[in-house]
Amino acid sequence: MEQYSRMNTVEIHGVPMQPNEDVVSVVKEVGKALDFNLTESIIDACHRLGKKTGPNNSPPGIIVKFVRRLDKDELLRKRHVRRDFSTRHMNLNVDKPVYINEALSPARRRLFAMAREIKRDKQYKYFWVRGGKISLRKEESGTITTITCQADLEKL
């Protein structure tokens, strides 16, 4: 249920924070850079995540909840097409990569981190999340393994 409630939601990371910024305008700028007409009418809610305290001092991410899942899927598809997407495409002075991912529940986020380690250790070539489901594949024509719990990782 927790993951299902995030089905229309994406996280955007890597966009620098401006003083007194309007987050909706920032999200519209991301859409414009990806050639996706992101209007206020398709956004249910958006806001910055809380400030992280860490050594890399990266800007907090942005959560965007769409009214329709189709709009979220289209934004992710546009992002996938532009593989080198960065802040320079948004006409900002810095050139840092911008990441747009499906929002995951805390439990799925932990599972994702464990699956990423398995991918690296066991040399899986493909690793992705779609519809909140984590998937791995060794080679292009290999079978797809969907990870739903920690037991699935132990089988690999």
Side-chain angles (χ1 to χ4, degrees), residues 2 12 38 44 120 127:
E2 198 173 349
I12 303 172
L38 227 163
D44 185 23
R120 187 176 40 246
F127 176 60

Side-chain angles (χ1 to χ4, degrees), residues 106-116 127 134 147-153:
R108 288 277 167 96
R109 192 178 299 279
R110 284 189 296 277
L111 197 59
F112 180 81
M114 290 186 275
R116 189 174 48 228
F127 176 60
I134 303 162
I147 309 299
T148 57
C149 62
Q150 194 167 347
D152 293 338
L153 292 172

Side-chain angles (χ1 to χ4, degrees), residues 11-19 21 26 47-63 87 90 92 94 96-99:
E11 295 180 10
I12 303 172
H13 293 275
V15 178
M17 195 168 180
Q18 303 295 325
E21 74 180 354
V26 173
H47 60 86
R48 283 269 182 187
L49 293 167
K51 292 188 182 206
K52 285 194 257 181
T53 55
N56 62 359
N57 208 13
S58 60
I62 299 171
I63 291 284
T87 52
M90 298 169 56
L92 296 175
V94 292
K96 303 260 180 175
V98 175
Y99 302 100

Side-chain angles (χ1 to χ4, degrees), residues 65-81:
K65 183 170 185 177
F66 290 94
V67 174
R68 300 176 330 144
R69 192 174 311 155
L70 293 171
D71 295 323
K72 177 207 76 165
D73 292 341
E74 181 65 14
L75 178 67
L76 289 171
R77 191 185 69 71
K78 294 275 189 173
R79 170 59 183 95
H80 186 72
V81 168

Side-chain angles (χ1 to χ4, degrees), residues 125-126 137-144:
K125 188 173 180 183
Y126 302 98
R137 187 165 55 184
K138 269 252 197 233
E139 61 226 12
E140 190 159 340
S141 60
T143 58
I144 296 171

Side-chain angles (χ1 to χ4, degrees), residues 29 32-33 82 84-92 95:
E29 202 57 41
K32 184 178 172 185
R82 180 167 278 168
D84 67 336
F85 185 55
S86 73
T87 52
R88 80 175 184 285
H89 295 105
M90 298 169 56
N91 298 320
L92 296 175
D95 188 12

